[in-house]
Amino acid sequence: MSSRVRPGRDDSPDRLYTLTGGRSGTGSTSFDVVTLIVAESDPVPGMQSEHAAILRMCRFPTAVVEVAAGLGLPVSITKILLSDLHDTGRISARHPRPASYRLPDHDILEQVLVGLRNL
């Protein structure tokens, strides 16, 4: 096991346990790593610092994986923090659409290609 020391960072299990209040799951809310998060409110005084950072970070749509990277936390921990904010209405989540679409017919694509070449 590698022991990389990062100044100002404490990734100990105790710290991560404290951040999530001991929870290991997100409850009813599920986030994909590409789910876009948008803040619906500003941080308020007394709010957990990670929650406030998420709200500042997500003024514009931001993917869950980007939020995790910005916080310097594992994605699993970030999802729990996002779930807290989602449950209180402080963020909204735009989930990715399932890949249920079909590509256009090959003949149509060929006709478009021919048309573009003729321009």
Side-chain angles (χ1 to χ4, degrees):
M1 181 169 207
S2 132
S3 62
R4 295 182 305 165
V5 177
R6 292 179 283 183
R9 291 292 310 275
D10 179 8
D11 289 335
S12 70
D14 292 343
R15 175 179 176 266
L16 299 177
Y17 181 88
T18 303
L19 285 177
T20 62
R23 293 169 292 140
S24 61
T26 61
S28 62
T29 309
S30 112
F31 297 100
D32 191 282
V33 293
V34 294
T35 299
L36 295 177
I37 306 300
V38 180
E40 298 295 339
S41 67
D42 291 325
V44 294
M47 177 179 273
Q48 184 175 339
S49 62
E50 289 78 12
H51 286 152
I54 291 169
L55 293 177
R56 284 190 298 274
M57 205 179 307
C58 296
R59 289 190 174 116
F60 298 100
T62 308
V64 169
V65 71
E66 292 177 273
V67 174
L71 294 173
L73 292 172
V75 172
S76 59
I77 301 298
T78 302
K79 287 180 179 181
I80 295 169
L81 297 173
L82 290 170
S83 180
D84 294 342
L85 292 170
H86 188 264
D87 291 347
T88 59
R90 293 190 178 279
I91 62 167
S92 59
R94 298 179 189 169
H95 299 283
R97 292 185 181 172
S100 61
Y101 60 88
R102 291 182 335 139
L103 291 175
D105 184 49
H106 180 73
D107 293 334
I108 293 174
L109 291 174
E110 187 70 35
Q111 290 173 9
V112 170
L113 183 60
V114 169
L116 288 171
R117 286 182 182 152
N118 290 334
L119 289 176

